[in-house]
Amino acid sequence: MNEQLDEKTVEFIFEYTKEAPERQGRDIDALDTKMVQVFSAASVVVGLLGVSSENLDDSPVANGFLALAVVSYVVAAAVALFHLYPKEQRRSLHVEDLWPKGWNQNVKDLQHSLIEDIREVNTFNKNVLEQKR
């Protein structure tokens, strides 16, 4: 196996991975948005059941549905709070470090170090995404 860095390989990996942390951040935001939508729908269902139960007599079926809806709503609220609780995300931003630490380095060496950082960020954010899913 060749142990030297191939410039084309480094360039390809850098171009392919450089936007990965930003895509993961958008995915995390999309999952949060979906959870808010699910919780909003649950709120509407409970509200409609509450309003419609006023028009019904105290039948066991209506009361059973209302009780089931309230229990489901409490579960949905707990899941939403857990899901929406702020979780640390990482990004790969090196604007402040590139000049002071990299002005005298080879471009391929800089790309290689950025690729390594992006890999670490990707691993961290992958865990956050799995928790939110």
Side-chain angles (χ1 to χ4, degrees):
M1 183 165 164
N2 188 1
E3 294 295 324
Q4 292 182 338
L5 291 176
D6 180 15
E7 289 186 18
K8 289 182 180 179
T9 302
V10 172
E11 181 69 29
F12 168 76
I13 292 172
F14 178 72
E15 288 299 320
Y16 186 78
T17 62
K18 70 181 180 181
E19 297 296 322
E22 300 302 319
R23 285 192 306 266
Q24 284 178 323
R26 287 190 297 270
D27 290 346
I28 290 169
D29 289 342
L31 287 172
D32 286 347
T33 300
K34 288 178 184 177
M35 179 51 71
V36 169
Q37 291 171 346
V38 167
F39 186 67
S40 298
S43 299
V44 168
V45 168
V46 167
L48 289 174
L49 273 173
V51 169
S52 65
S53 67
E54 289 179 4
N55 297 333
L56 299 174
D57 56 357
D58 286 332
S59 70
V61 175
N63 288 337
F65 278 127
L66 187 57
L68 181 63
V70 169
V71 169
S72 298
Y73 184 73
V74 169
V75 170
V79 169
L81 285 174
F82 174 76
H83 180 83
L84 294 173
Y85 187 79
K87 293 179 177 62
E88 180 183 355
Q89 298 178 49
R90 293 190 182 164
R91 296 176 70 193
S92 183
L93 300 175
H94 296 282
V95 175
E96 69 276 356
D97 291 340
L98 280 178
W99 176 250
K101 294 181 181 177
W103 68 270
N104 60 350
Q105 291 185 12
N106 180 318
V107 171
K108 296 302 171 193
D109 292 338
L110 284 173
Q111 285 178 331
H112 187 264
S113 65
L114 288 171
I115 290 167
E116 180 60 28
D117 183 63
I118 290 168
R119 185 192 65 77
E120 291 171 5
V121 167
N122 186 64
T123 301
F124 182 87
N125 288 342
K126 184 178 177 183
N127 292 331
V128 173
L129 276 168
E130 287 174 2
Q131 290 172 3
K132 285 190 168 281
R133 286 186 186 137

